[in-house]
Amino acid sequence: MLRSESVIWPSKLLVVGADGAVGRAACAHFTALGVTVIGTSHRRGSDHHYLDLTVPASWEVLPDIDAALICAGVTSIVDCAQDPVATKQVNVRGTVGLAAKLSAQGTFVLFLSSNQVFDGAISHRDRESYPCPVSEYGRQKALAEAGMRHLIDREFGAILRLTKVMTPGTPVVQTWRRDLKAGRRIGPFSNLPLAPISMGFALDTMEVVLSDRLSGVFHASSLEDSSYLSLAHVVAEHEGADPALVQPVEAVPTSIGFDSLPRFSSLDMQMEVSEFDLKPPSAKDVFRSVVAG
């Protein structure tokens, strides 16, 4: 989107989790807009400002900034299921604690959440729906959202729920491409939904929220629901692989960190479309851009 001719705020942005995929992309995107970006990392010795969500002492001295984008966290649904205590320390306690400290010094906070705060029982879930997660990861995101609500009430923060952000470097895509090129079969889940968005669309939505300092809950989702099986077919077609190498399997909820499997992943974006002229991508267009990248 790059609204550089109109963006005058924030002049200084803290990107928490700058060494993750979304954080790296956000640093590059907002730097291109002329924003002074300060990235953080929990890794000592990194080129970024040291900040560990599990070490409150690392938040004692924070840079002078206008806004903060919280990208950091444990995003693996399986990891959260296997170690809920440790991951909750990062995804809930650390995240909410840092956001409170940032807002206390006058910083606007944008927290990246997920469609996983819902159970996936219906498509295009409305932003006003009460959270009903079916995974530990989703429960942690819902708790963090609850901890951010006071920032929204004070117009010092926002929540942006993202569906699956995909890039050419998405691990499952890379693995499938490698296996198909070698003539090996792949086993995509036939019963796990996917409402993919590109990194560019995710960044455009962040830009709208931050540049206009919008408080509230916002969504970024594809137009419709798809599946990992559909993604696998697009990957196979792009690689010129034998379609018979795509051998769908059924996901077992507990083996991938869910209590029960969602039927849908999409989120409602009517408000974002009508008020901000954002255009949600189709799932197939995202799949094609990912394999062409």
Side-chain angles (χ1 to χ4, degrees):
M1 183 176 284
L2 291 183
R3 302 157 71 204
S4 55
E5 70 283 354
S6 62
V7 172
I8 58 172
W9 194 94
S11 60
K12 293 183 180 179
L13 174 67
L14 185 72
V15 176
V16 182
D19 47 7
V22 174
R24 283 194 303 272
C27 287
H29 181 83
F30 285 98
T31 296
L33 288 172
V35 176
T36 298
V37 176
I38 301 170
T40 81
S41 172
H42 69 280
R43 297 178 175 87
R44 292 186 183 275
S46 165
D47 292 336
H48 300 297
H49 180 90
Y50 172 67
L51 190 153
D52 189 329
L53 290 173
T54 66
V55 183
S58 69
W59 325 334
E60 285 304 312
V61 180
L62 292 170
D64 180 23
I65 48 175
D66 301 314
L69 174 63
I70 300 182
C71 308
V74 181
T75 59
S76 167
I77 294 175
V78 172
D79 288 350
C80 290
Q82 292 178 343
D83 195 349
V85 174
T87 54
K88 190 174 182 180
Q89 182 65 35
V90 176
N91 289 347
V92 183
R93 295 188 184 93
T95 297
V96 173
L98 175 62
K101 183 170 178 60
L102 286 164
S103 66
Q105 70 177 37
T107 300
F108 181 86
V109 179
L110 174 55
F111 169 62
L112 299 186
S113 189
S114 167
N115 64 292
Q116 298 298 337
V117 299
F118 299 119
D119 60 5
I122 61 174
S123 66
H124 301 93
R125 182 76 72 159
D126 185 84
R127 75 198 70 249
E128 302 302 327
S129 296
Y130 195 78
C132 48
V134 290
S135 67
E136 177 61 25
Y137 172 71
R139 285 187 282 275
Q140 292 177 8
K141 281 294 189 182
L143 285 169
E145 284 193 10
M148 303 284 175
R149 290 287 177 167
H150 71 288
L151 303 184
I152 295 175
D153 294 340
R154 293 171 45 227
E155 297 189 345
F156 260 89
I159 295 166
L160 174 58
R161 294 175 180 143
L162 305 173
T163 56
K164 179 67 174 178
V165 179
M166 302 198 74
T167 71
T170 297
V172 68
V173 174
Q174 290 187 321
T175 299
W176 286 349
R177 294 182 77 166
R178 186 166 55 247
D179 287 345
L180 290 167
K181 285 177 181 176
R184 293 189 293 267
R185 291 177 294 180
I186 60 173
F189 292 133
S190 60
N191 57 340
L192 192 63
L194 185 62
I197 57 174
S198 67
M199 184 68 78
F201 184 69
L203 292 168
D204 284 348
T205 312
M206 294 176 213
E207 183 187 326
V208 167
V209 176
L210 284 170
S211 63
D212 293 332
R213 206 178 192 274
L214 300 172
S215 289
V217 178
F218 303 93
H219 286 171
S221 169
S222 59
L223 278 171
E224 79 284 30
D225 288 276
S226 188
S227 68
Y228 281 87
L229 178 56
S230 295
L231 170 61
H233 284 306
V234 172
V235 173
E237 180 182 10
H238 183 269
E239 297 301 324
D242 183 349
L245 291 175
V246 178
Q247 304 262 321
V249 297
E250 288 200 355
V252 177
T254 53
S255 69
I256 56 172
F258 286 93
D259 308 328
S260 59
L261 288 180
R263 293 176 55 221
F264 303 97
S265 291
S266 58
L267 297 170
D268 176 66
M269 282 198 66
Q270 292 183 69
M271 185 266 285
E272 289 82 1
V273 170
S274 63
E275 295 192 18
F276 311 129
D277 198 31
L278 288 166
K279 296 177 173 59
S282 73
K284 184 156 280 190
D285 283 347
V286 175
F287 292 161
R288 286 171 175 160
S289 69
V290 166
V291 298

